[in-house]
Amino acid sequence: MPDTIFALSSGRPPAGIAVIRISGPQAFDIQRKFLNIPDLGDVRHARVRALYNPADGQLLDRALTLHFARPHSVTGEDMVEWHCHGGRAVVDAVLGALGRINGAREAQPGEFTRRAFENGKIDLNEAEGLADLLSAETEGQRRAALAMAEGHFSRRLNGWREEILIVSAMVEAALDFSDEDDVPDASIEGAIIQRLQALRAAMAQQLALPSAERLRDGIRVVLAGPPNVGKSTLLNALVGREAAIVSDIAGTTRDRIEVPVQLGGVPYLLTDTAGLRDDATDSIEQIGVERTRAALEQADIILWLGEPDERPRGDAVAIAAQMDRAGWVKPAGADLALSARTGEGMAALVGRLVEAAQRILPMEAEYALYQRQRDGIGTALGEIDAGLRERDMLLVAESLRIARTALDRLIGRAGVEDMLDILFGRFCIGK
């Protein structure tokens, strides 16, 4: 029998209200002891009750109390909620009294959500979406996390899984009844190929969706160019503080400087880099130049502050910076002209970054996929491709079995024990 767990599920005190959750086989018995009543009444009915310490009968607080019977609770277990006054002394007194109940203990981070997963109330993708929702800092992160937590991706996976089961049954029919007149071989094999092709197209379309890592960590924007062209000044202007040292001495920036920032509600990771030049003799500066080239390879967006015709790749945005300097002339081929010192042209640059983000991040009400999810779909897609190439129905059946296993792992039905501690460790205590 599992332990009964309890925790403060709202923010740390002081607060207007403190929500304390109790879940497990003793939840209702604990509710009766603290309320000092024999009958709890109807489930899901909120009542204002006095909470008493079972150890000495002293009044702890007057709280709004609810109870939810299994399996119709968020954890799938009997569960109780107390909405107490949010003072620190009240919360400490109630939690202290709960801690003295035999068989009850304080929950570990994410344990309520883990029990919901283990009891089939949510699947693995919904749990990951909930973890992202709790840590969301931008509107885009909130929308994508909510779509994942609401089960949009899981419903699509379940649809694919059902389709694979249907096709698997068709393959078994082709194998078992190929000699029967009522199951023509050519007809059923043609139907199998048609359904697999449609399934493959749907999975490939899903893989084209944006990466959740970019939504969580920020779009990688690399500022690059020769020494002394204003990269550090531009970085400081974009983040609104002195994040990078600015100097007229060439080679001041020796290493990558990474700064997270939100622009227009979109998360970015801005990277200031060492100036690119071929004649660097200082060994430290040479290392900085090598790291600059590595950053350029990983960049989603490059802001190039050198000569436009020397940009490192075709989609780099050529910036004509330092337009406040005397005698400045905009070079031919520059995409934008600006002065990070005066602010002229900065709004146009931010608009350009936000516009580029719309092509990289998920659209409204879309979810984004983590690498684990992309790998799982990729495995299933590879097996679908293998099934389309095969003409031996036994091999097609095996490919479909592996594809179905890959989807089961994504949903959390098989082979995910190794990642559960990591996932639920991202949650706060009480969630």
Side-chain angles (χ1 to χ4, degrees), residues 113 122 124-136 145-146 148-150 426-427 431:
T113 307
I122 59 174
L124 190 57
N125 299 297
E126 291 166 336
E128 287 179 306
L130 182 56
D132 289 341
L133 190 60
L134 294 174
S135 61
L146 188 59
M148 185 66 73
E150 289 292 304
R426 293 173 56 193
F427 288 79
K431 192 63 181 174

Side-chain angles (χ1 to χ4, degrees), residues 354-367:
V354 172
E355 180 184 343
Q358 293 174 351
R359 298 189 294 270
I360 299 173
L361 298 180
M363 302 291 288
E364 186 171 351
E366 280 188 351
Y367 48 81

Side-chain angles (χ1 to χ4, degrees), residues 92-154:
D92 288 346
V94 175
L95 292 179
L98 282 168
R100 288 187 287 273
I101 300 294
N102 288 332
R105 61 171 175 81
E106 189 169 7
Q108 298 296 316
E111 192 166 3
F112 284 91
T113 307
R114 181 162 187 162
R115 291 193 177 192
F117 167 73
E118 291 172 345
N119 292 324
K121 303 301 290 185
I122 59 174
D123 68 20
L124 190 57
N125 299 297
E126 291 166 336
E128 287 179 306
L130 182 56
D132 289 341
L133 190 60
L134 294 174
S135 61
E137 296 182 354
T138 70
E139 179 62 13
Q141 290 171 343
R142 182 194 68 81
R143 289 198 306 263
L146 188 59
M148 185 66 73
E150 289 292 304
H152 291 236
F153 178 53
S154 295

Side-chain angles (χ1 to χ4, degrees), residues 130-213:
L130 182 56
D132 289 341
L133 190 60
L134 294 174
S135 61
E137 296 182 354
T138 70
E139 179 62 13
Q141 290 171 343
R142 182 194 68 81
R143 289 198 306 263
L146 188 59
M148 185 66 73
E150 289 292 304
H152 291 236
F153 178 53
S154 295
R155 284 192 288 274
R156 180 159 293 182
L157 289 176
N158 280 316
W160 292 345
R161 187 178 184 278
E162 290 176 8
E163 182 66 11
I164 289 175
L165 286 172
I166 291 172
V167 178
S168 296
M170 295 171 67
V171 170
E172 292 298 325
L175 286 169
D176 294 342
F177 306 109
S178 57
D179 294 333
E180 300 291 335
D181 293 337
D182 58 342
V183 187
D185 287 348
S187 175
I188 196 169
E189 289 186 14
I192 288 170
I193 292 172
Q194 185 177 13
R195 297 188 82 130
L196 287 181
Q197 287 174 337
L199 188 58
R200 188 204 181 284
M203 289 182 173
Q205 184 180 22
Q206 190 76 51
L207 281 179
L209 288 179
S211 162
E213 283 79 10

Side-chain angles (χ1 to χ4, degrees), residues 300-319:
D300 298 310
I301 302 171
I302 296 174
L303 301 183
W304 177 251
L305 280 73
E307 292 296 324
D309 58 357
E310 296 177 358
R311 68 184 86 192
R313 69 187 198 204
D315 64 347
V317 181
I319 305 292

